[in-house]
Amino acid sequence: MTTGVRAAVPADVPAVKAVTDMAYHHYIARIGVVPQPMEADHMADVAAGRVFVTGDPVTGLVVIEERTGHLFLDSIAVHPDAHGTGVGRRLLEFVDARARALGLPEVRLYTNAMMWENQKIYPKFGYEVVERRTDGPYDRIHYRKRLG
């Protein structure tokens, strides 16, 4: 797996919550609702082995879930102070490596349509738009990345 990324442990939960909140908080005003990752049960996700972190202290994390035929990237969060330092790239590379290790042919994710920055980032890492769909209060763009 990618160097510097490890499974989160219960002691990481406060940092997981803090980094997630800092990464997503500025979107509340833009999208009009609290982003779903901010409302996640971080302790349950850590206990289920779904959260992987990088940095000491934690500067970034991913929440992933193995599903039938793909790995679902539920959330990626990078502390604002770490933007532009390669943390996000390392985490996305980790997700690809994890999917391959699990024998899964693709990674899927979605982002809120109002999170314009993400729509520029994901295609640079090989993700393609699959569909745009409204789920409750969320207008989401769904992506997939086929792994070679």
Side-chain angles (χ1 to χ4, degrees), residues 26-134:
H26 70 282
Y27 289 121
I28 295 172
R30 189 188 301 175
I31 67 176
V33 293
V34 174
Q36 207 167 20
M38 292 178 69
E39 297 184 324
D41 184 338
H42 301 294
M43 182 60 83
D45 286 340
V46 168
R50 298 180 61 220
V51 182
F52 294 83
V53 297
T54 190
D56 184 19
V58 173
T59 56
L61 63 109
V62 289
V63 181
I64 56 177
E65 182 179 338
E66 184 177 353
R67 296 191 177 169
T68 302
H70 69 278
L71 188 65
F72 178 64
L73 174 53
D74 190 28
S75 176
I76 182 168
V78 176
H79 190 289
D81 292 346
H83 287 178
T85 65
V87 171
R89 175 183 300 277
R90 271 198 317 277
L91 289 166
L92 289 172
E93 289 170 353
F94 168 81
V95 170
D96 290 355
R98 181 76 174 185
R100 286 185 179 100
L102 293 168
L104 298 171
E106 66 183 41
V107 177
R108 296 184 190 171
L109 62 86
Y110 53 72
T111 190
N112 191 289
M114 299 292 284
M115 295 179 180
W116 308 295
E117 304 87 342
N118 296 343
Q119 295 172 51
K120 294 176 183 171
I121 292 169
Y122 293 128
K124 290 179 183 176
F125 288 93
Y127 287 87
E128 61 182 345
V129 173
V130 176
E131 68 175 325
R132 182 170 177 170
R133 184 172 73 225
T134 301

Side-chain angles (χ1 to χ4, degrees), residues 19-31:
V19 170
T20 299
D21 288 352
M22 285 184 270
Y24 285 92
H25 188 268
H26 70 282
Y27 289 121
I28 295 172
R30 189 188 301 175
I31 67 176

